Amino acid sequence: MRDILITLIIFGILPFSFKRPVIGALLFTWVSLMNPHRLTYGFAYSFPFAAVIAGVTLVSLFTSKQPKRMPVTPVTATLLVFMAWMSFTSFFALEPNLVWLEWNRVAKTVVMVIITIMVVNTEKDLKLLVWVVALSLGIFGLKGGLFTLGSGGHFRVYGPDGSYIAENNSMALALVTTLPLIWYLRLQAKNKWVVLGLTAMTAMTAVSAVGSYSRGALVGGACMLVFLWYHSRKKAQTAIILIGMVGLIMAVMPGAWFDRMDTINDYHEDSSALGRVNAWKFAINIASTFPLGGGYNVFTPRMFMMYAPEPLNYHVAHSIWFQVLGDHGFVGLIMFIMLMVFAWRTGTRVRKHCAQNPELKWAADLSRMCQVCIIGYAVSGSFLSLAYFDLYYDIIIILVCLEKILLPSKRPTPARSSPLTQALR
């Protein structure tokens, strides 16, 4: 029954994207983040919904008369150069049998990032995108938080089986990164029931992230909450809510959780932490030996035997920074860092533009929350291999589209040429 329902929903919405490509972009965002088909048990589980949606949305660029434009900004330029560099390094990968599988997934993500930026041209479309991103993962946050409370925190929270966030640490990063967007929707909501619902989702998402037993999520979440409070317009109200959330977590979680979190202070005695350090040194050795890096999926036992300080202590990268360093070398890491810096500065420009206009408070708040998302991703991601996670690039889309819609120099011009010409501009 779930298979039929998910299939009917997706293929029922998809035809509308031929007229409005933004619908296809929103649908792809939902499927790529929430992975609703991974909640089924039949034919829909392995059906390539994302690929079908991406293909139809790409075709719709040439059939739709809706305006489309790719703004040339430091973010978009860096993203395109970064993708070109990652494609170039793939031809020299140390694991040629593994590299193209990951390249295909990342390339599809980047193509949809570009398409989404092109077709999101109005405030309404942008706000819909924020709702889709926030609720796609907020649903898991709400569910996981209730599960954590109901089980007394004795079981870990995981994502959908077979998805990019199936592992507990990956799920934790996704929840931590999404939390500011859920909070943003709560700030913008007018209906009291919607406010209450989003407040509950915010609290449960925080509880769920803690219930994943991820130490990286704890550190990232703590940094993010401090920044969130510091930039909050209502510091007292925000502080009360945050303290309440922390108190709830402290009251619910069992001793086993505190014991695991305490190992942060004893990393030199923790085998997992030492394994990560070995993986990070492996990435440095690869990048130092091969200027192009090792290519996607270079973190393998075979490569560790040749380039790791401790050849038998194999671990995945466990860090977005060292993952990119090992995969694409120092040049790739610099591009990855530049992309994040430029995305942050985009948010700052938007806030400055909105500072003197009360009607644009929604945009100023959204840009600020996106920056909080970046903090959560950057800190939590320092301990996880999620450099190519769709959610991070969705945050970048929101920031670029904010600038595109609000700043005069970034606004799309009325269409005067054919759809094909517009799509290629």
Side-chain angles (χ1 to χ4, degrees):
M1 188 63 183
R2 290 186 185 182
D3 299 76
I4 297 175
L5 179 61
I6 294 298
T7 303
L8 287 177
I9 291 174
I10 293 176
F11 284 102
I13 296 174
L14 191 57
F16 293 98
S17 64
F18 283 108
K19 184 176 181 179
R20 298 196 66 227
V22 69
I23 294 177
L26 295 174
L27 190 60
F28 179 87
T29 301
W30 172 55
V31 171
S32 65
L33 289 180
M34 186 177 178
N35 294 277
H37 54 300
R38 296 301 190 185
L39 302 176
T40 64
Y41 302 98
F43 68 90
Y45 181 87
S46 57
F47 191 86
F49 287 109
V52 172
I53 296 169
V56 171
T57 306
L58 181 61
V59 171
S60 72
L61 286 180
F62 305 97
T63 61
S64 170
K65 296 181 179 180
Q66 294 287 310
K68 318 165 192 72
R69 188 176 70 89
M70 179 70 172
V72 179
T73 69
V75 174
T76 57
T78 303
L79 177 63
L80 292 175
V81 173
F82 185 40
M83 186 64 223
W85 176 258
M86 292 189 292
S87 299
F88 179 67
T89 62
S90 297
F91 287 101
F92 304 92
L94 299 180
E95 293 286 9
N97 295 328
L98 302 175
V99 66
W100 295 110
L101 180 65
E102 184 66 5
W103 178 91
N104 180 65
R105 197 199 68 79
V106 176
K108 181 174 65 178
T109 297
V110 173
V111 167
M112 287 307 300
V113 167
I114 295 171
I115 291 176
T116 304
I117 291 174
M118 291 175 64
V119 300
V120 173
N121 292 310
T122 67
E123 177 184 330
K124 179 181 178 180
D125 289 340
L126 180 58
K127 288 182 176 179
L128 281 174
L129 176 62
V130 176
W131 274 98
V132 170
V133 173
L135 295 187
S136 292
L137 292 165
I139 293 297
F140 292 123
L142 180 62
K143 176 184 175 183
L146 294 174
F147 170 76
T148 299
L149 293 179
S151 65
H154 289 284
F155 300 97
R156 299 185 182 187
V157 174
Y158 293 91
D161 183 42
S163 70
Y164 209 62
I165 55 175
E167 198 249 345
N168 65 308
N169 292 306
S170 301
M171 186 63 174
L173 178 140
L175 295 177
V176 165
T177 306
T178 308
L179 190 60
L181 290 184
I182 303 174
W183 181 255
Y184 165 78
L185 294 177
R186 178 197 175 277
L187 294 176
Q188 299 298 314
K190 305 299 182 183
N191 184 285
K192 67 176 183 178
W193 295 110
V194 175
V195 172
L196 287 173
L198 290 172
T199 300
M201 181 174 285
T202 300
M204 291 301 99
T205 298
V207 172
S208 183
V210 172
S212 68
Y213 280 66
S214 171
R215 292 166 292 185
L218 178 68
V219 176
C223 295
M224 188 182 71
L225 291 179
V226 170
F227 188 86
L228 178 64
W229 172 83
Y230 181 77
H231 286 276
S232 174
R233 297 177 185 271
K234 300 179 180 179
K235 287 185 170 56
Q237 180 183 1
T238 303
I240 292 173
I241 293 175
L242 295 180
I243 291 173
M245 290 168 51
V246 173
L248 177 64
I249 292 168
M250 297 291 286
V252 169
M253 300 310 293
W257 182 85
F258 289 97
D259 291 340
R260 178 167 175 78
M261 297 304 109
D262 190 54
T263 59
I264 295 176
N265 298 319
D266 300 320
Y267 69 93
H268 55 283
E269 298 178 1
D270 180 44
S271 60
S272 177
L274 293 177
R276 296 184 184 196
V277 173
N278 187 53
W280 298 345
K281 291 180 179 179
F282 164 80
I284 294 174
N285 290 342
I286 287 290
S288 300
T289 306
F290 304 96
L292 300 181
Y296 292 115
N297 290 326
V298 71
F299 289 79
T300 64
R302 187 174 77 89
M303 289 293 105
F304 263 62
M305 291 296 295
M306 292 183 280
Y307 298 102
E310 299 180 32
L312 299 179
N313 192 3
Y314 166 72
H315 278 72
V316 295
H318 281 299
S319 169
I320 55 176
W321 318 106
F322 289 100
Q323 181 182 7
V324 174
L325 178 62
D327 287 354
H328 310 295
F330 289 102
V331 174
L333 178 60
I334 291 172
M335 291 182 185
F336 184 71
I337 294 173
M338 288 175 58
L339 181 63
M340 185 172 292
V341 171
F342 288 146
W344 181 278
R345 290 178 61 84
T346 299
T348 301
R349 286 196 299 273
V350 170
R351 290 213 322 275
K352 290 181 178 179
H353 175 77
C354 301
Q356 305 303 322
N357 190 343
E359 294 183 358
L360 295 180
K361 179 179 178 297
W362 68 271
D365 290 342
L366 179 55
S367 64
R368 184 178 290 106
M369 289 302 103
C370 284
Q371 289 182 322
V372 179
C373 291
I374 291 175
I375 289 177
Y377 173 77
V379 177
S380 298
S382 297
F383 310 98
L384 296 170
S385 306
L386 290 171
Y388 318 113
F389 184 27
D390 303 60
L391 176 59
Y392 170 56
Y393 298 92
D394 288 329
I395 302 301
I396 291 177
I397 291 172
I398 294 171
L399 286 169
V400 172
C401 289
L402 266 173
E403 185 177 44
K404 174 183 175 181
I405 293 169
L406 296 177
L407 274 62
S409 62
K410 310 299 180 184
R411 289 175 185 166
T413 56
R416 292 185 179 179
S417 53
S418 67
L420 176 59
T421 303
Q422 297 173 46
L424 297 176
R425 286 176 61 183

Coordinates of all heavy atoms in Angstrom, one line a residue, residues 111-151:
V111 N 23.7 19.2 -10.8 CA 22.8 19.6 -11.9 C 21.5 20.1 -11.4 O 20.9 21.1 -11.8 CB 22.6 18.4 -12.9 CG1 21.5 18.7 -13.9 CG2 23.9 18.1 -13.7
M112 N 20.9 19.4 -10.4 CA 19.6 19.8 -9.8 C 19.8 21.0 -9.0 O 18.8 21.8 -8.9 CB 19.0 18.6 -9.0 CG 18.5 17.5 -9.8 SD 17.3 18.0 -11.1 CE 16.0 18.7 -10.2
V113 N 20.9 21.3 -8.4 CA 21.2 22.5 -7.7 C 21.1 23.7 -8.7 O 20.4 24.7 -8.5 CB 22.6 22.5 -7.0 CG1 23.0 23.9 -6.6 CG2 22.5 21.6 -5.8
I114 N 21.8 23.5 -9.9 CA 21.8 24.6 -10.9 C 20.4 24.8 -11.4 O 19.9 25.9 -11.6 CB 22.7 24.1 -12.0 CG1 24.2 24.1 -11.5 CG2 22.6 25.1 -13.2 CD1 25.1 23.5 -12.5
I115 N 19.6 23.7 -11.7 CA 18.3 23.8 -12.2 C 17.4 24.5 -11.2 O 16.6 25.4 -11.6 CB 17.7 22.5 -12.6 CG1 18.4 21.9 -13.8 CG2 16.2 22.5 -12.9 CD1 18.0 20.5 -14.2
T116 N 17.5 24.2 -9.9 CA 16.7 24.8 -8.9 C 16.9 26.3 -8.8 O 16.0 27.1 -8.7 CB 16.9 24.1 -7.6 OG1 16.6 22.7 -7.7 CG2 15.9 24.6 -6.5
I117 N 18.2 26.6 -8.8 CA 18.5 28.1 -8.8 C 17.9 28.8 -10.0 O 17.4 29.9 -9.9 CB 20.1 28.3 -8.7 CG1 20.6 27.7 -7.4 CG2 20.4 29.7 -9.0 CD1 22.1 27.8 -7.3
M118 N 17.9 28.2 -11.1 CA 17.4 28.8 -12.3 C 15.9 29.0 -12.3 O 15.4 30.0 -12.8 CB 17.7 27.9 -13.6 CG 19.2 27.9 -13.9 SD 19.5 26.7 -15.3 CE 18.6 27.5 -16.6
V119 N 15.2 28.1 -11.7 CA 13.7 28.1 -11.8 C 13.0 28.8 -10.6 O 11.8 29.0 -10.6 CB 13.1 26.7 -12.0 CG1 13.7 26.2 -13.3 CG2 13.4 25.8 -10.9
V120 N 13.8 28.9 -9.4 CA 13.2 29.6 -8.3 C 13.3 31.1 -8.5 O 14.4 31.6 -8.3 CB 13.8 29.1 -7.0 CG1 13.3 29.9 -5.8 CG2 13.5 27.6 -6.7
N121 N 12.3 31.8 -8.8 CA 12.4 33.2 -9.2 C 11.4 34.1 -8.4 O 11.5 35.3 -8.6 CB 12.0 33.4 -10.7 CG 13.1 32.8 -11.6 OD1 14.3 33.0 -11.4 ND2 12.7 32.0 -12.5
T122 N 10.6 33.5 -7.5 CA 9.7 34.3 -6.8 C 9.8 34.0 -5.3 O 10.3 33.0 -4.9 CB 8.2 34.1 -7.2 OG1 7.9 32.7 -6.9 CG2 8.1 34.3 -8.7
E123 N 9.3 35.0 -4.5 CA 9.3 34.8 -3.0 C 8.5 33.6 -2.6 O 8.9 32.8 -1.8 CB 8.7 36.1 -2.4 CG 8.6 36.0 -0.9 CD 7.9 37.2 -0.3 OE1 8.1 38.3 -0.9 OE2 7.3 37.1 0.8
K124 N 7.4 33.4 -3.3 CA 6.5 32.2 -3.0 C 7.2 30.9 -3.3 O 7.1 30.0 -2.4 CB 5.2 32.3 -3.9 CG 4.3 31.1 -3.6 CD 3.0 31.3 -4.5 CE 2.1 30.1 -4.3 NZ 0.9 30.2 -5.2
D125 N 7.9 30.8 -4.4 CA 8.6 29.6 -4.7 C 9.7 29.3 -3.7 O 10.0 28.2 -3.3 CB 9.2 29.6 -6.1 CG 8.1 29.6 -7.2 OD1 7.0 29.1 -6.9 OD2 8.4 30.0 -8.3
L126 N 10.4 30.4 -3.3 CA 11.5 30.2 -2.4 C 11.0 29.8 -1.0 O 11.6 28.9 -0.4 CB 12.2 31.5 -2.2 CG 13.4 31.5 -1.2 CD1 14.5 30.5 -1.6 CD2 14.1 32.9 -1.2
K127 N 9.9 30.3 -0.6 CA 9.3 29.9 0.7 C 8.8 28.5 0.7 O 9.0 27.7 1.7 CB 8.2 30.9 1.1 CG 8.7 32.2 1.5 CD 7.5 33.1 2.0 CE 8.0 34.5 2.4 NZ 6.9 35.4 2.8
L128 N 8.3 28.1 -0.5 CA 7.9 26.7 -0.6 C 9.1 25.7 -0.5 O 9.0 24.7 0.1 CB 7.2 26.5 -2.0 CG 5.7 26.9 -2.1 CD1 5.2 26.7 -3.5 CD2 4.9 26.0 -1.1
L129 N 10.2 26.2 -1.1 CA 11.4 25.4 -1.0 C 11.9 25.2 0.4 O 12.3 24.1 0.8 CB 12.5 26.0 -1.8 CG 13.9 25.4 -1.8 CD1 13.9 23.9 -2.3 CD2 15.0 26.2 -2.5
V130 N 11.8 26.3 1.2 CA 12.2 26.2 2.6 C 11.3 25.2 3.4 O 11.8 24.4 4.2 CB 12.1 27.6 3.3 CG1 12.4 27.5 4.8 CG2 13.1 28.5 2.6
W131 N 10.0 25.3 3.1 CA 9.1 24.3 3.7 C 9.4 22.9 3.4 O 9.4 22.0 4.2 CB 7.6 24.7 3.3 CG 7.0 25.7 4.1 CD1 6.8 27.0 3.9 CD2 6.3 25.5 5.4 NE1 6.2 27.7 4.9 CE2 5.8 26.8 5.8 CE3 6.1 24.4 6.3 CZ2 5.1 27.0 7.0 CZ3 5.4 24.6 7.5 CH2 5.0 25.9 7.8
V132 N 9.7 22.7 2.1 CA 10.0 21.3 1.7 C 11.3 20.8 2.3 O 11.3 19.7 2.9 CB 10.2 21.3 0.1 CG1 10.7 19.9 -0.3 CG2 8.8 21.5 -0.6
V133 N 12.3 21.6 2.4 CA 13.6 21.2 3.0 C 13.4 20.9 4.5 O 13.8 19.9 5.0 CB 14.7 22.3 2.8 CG1 15.9 21.9 3.6 CG2 15.0 22.4 1.3
A134 N 12.7 21.9 5.2 CA 12.6 21.7 6.6 C 11.7 20.5 7.0 O 12.1 19.8 7.9 CB 12.0 23.0 7.2
L135 N 10.6 20.4 6.3 CA 9.7 19.3 6.7 C 10.1 17.9 6.3 O 9.8 16.9 6.9 CB 8.3 19.6 6.2 CG 7.5 20.8 6.8 CD1 6.1 20.9 6.3 CD2 7.6 20.8 8.3
S136 N 10.9 17.9 5.2 CA 11.4 16.6 4.7 C 12.2 15.9 5.8 O 12.1 14.6 5.9 CB 12.3 16.8 3.4 OG 11.5 17.2 2.4
L137 N 13.0 16.6 6.5 CA 13.7 16.0 7.6 C 13.1 16.3 9.0 O 13.3 15.5 9.9 CB 15.2 16.6 7.6 CG 16.0 16.1 6.4 CD1 17.2 17.0 6.2 CD2 16.3 14.7 6.4
G138 N 12.3 17.3 9.1 CA 11.6 17.6 10.4 C 10.7 16.5 10.8 O 10.5 16.3 12.0
I139 N 10.1 15.8 9.8 CA 9.2 14.7 10.1 C 10.0 13.6 10.8 O 9.5 13.0 11.8 CB 8.6 14.1 8.8 CG1 7.7 15.2 8.1 CG2 7.9 12.8 9.0 CD1 6.4 15.5 8.9
F140 N 11.2 13.3 10.4 CA 12.0 12.4 11.0 C 12.4 12.9 12.4 O 12.6 12.1 13.3 CB 13.3 12.0 10.2 CG 13.0 11.3 8.9 CD1 13.4 11.8 7.7 CD2 12.3 10.1 9.0 CE1 13.1 11.1 6.5 CE2 12.0 9.4 7.8 CZ 12.4 9.9 6.6
G141 N 12.7 14.2 12.5 CA 13.0 14.7 13.8 C 11.9 14.6 14.8 O 12.1 14.2 16.0
L142 N 10.7 14.8 14.4 CA 9.5 14.7 15.2 C 9.3 13.2 15.6 O 9.1 12.9 16.8 CB 8.3 15.2 14.5 CG 6.9 15.1 15.3 CD1 7.0 15.9 16.5 CD2 5.8 15.5 14.4
K143 N 9.4 12.4 14.7 CA 9.2 10.9 15.0 C 10.4 10.4 15.9 O 10.1 9.7 16.8 CB 9.2 10.2 13.6 CG 9.2 8.6 13.8 CD 9.3 8.0 12.4 CE 9.3 6.5 12.6 NZ 9.5 5.8 11.2
G144 N 11.6 10.8 15.5 CA 12.7 10.3 16.3 C 12.7 10.9 17.8 O 13.1 10.2 18.7
G145 N 12.3 12.1 17.9 CA 12.2 12.7 19.3 C 11.2 12.0 20.1 O 11.4 11.7 21.3
L146 N 10.0 11.7 19.5 CA 9.0 10.9 20.3 C 9.5 9.5 20.6 O 9.2 9.0 21.7 CB 7.7 10.9 19.5 CG 7.0 12.2 19.2 CD1 5.8 12.0 18.3 CD2 6.5 12.8 20.6
F147 N 10.2 8.9 19.7 CA 10.8 7.6 19.9 C 11.8 7.6 21.1 O 11.8 6.8 22.0 CB 11.4 7.1 18.7 CG 12.2 5.8 18.9 CD1 11.6 4.6 19.0 CD2 13.6 5.9 18.9 CE1 12.4 3.4 19.2 CE2 14.4 4.7 19.1 CZ 13.7 3.5 19.2
T148 N 12.6 8.7 21.1 CA 13.6 8.8 22.2 C 13.0 9.0 23.5 O 13.4 8.4 24.5 CB 14.5 10.0 21.9 OG1 15.2 9.7 20.6 CG2 15.6 10.2 23.0
L149 N 11.9 9.8 23.6 CA 11.2 10.0 24.8 C 10.5 8.8 25.3 O 10.6 8.4 26.5 CB 10.2 11.2 24.7 CG 10.8 12.6 24.4 CD1 9.6 13.6 24.3 CD2 11.7 13.0 25.6
G150 N 9.9 8.1 24.3 CA 9.2 6.9 24.7 C 10.0 5.7 25.1 O 9.6 4.9 26.0
S151 N 11.3 5.7 24.6 CA 12.2 4.6 24.9 C 13.1 5.0 26.1 O 14.0 4.2 26.4 CB 13.0 4.2 23.7 OG 13.8 5.2 23.3

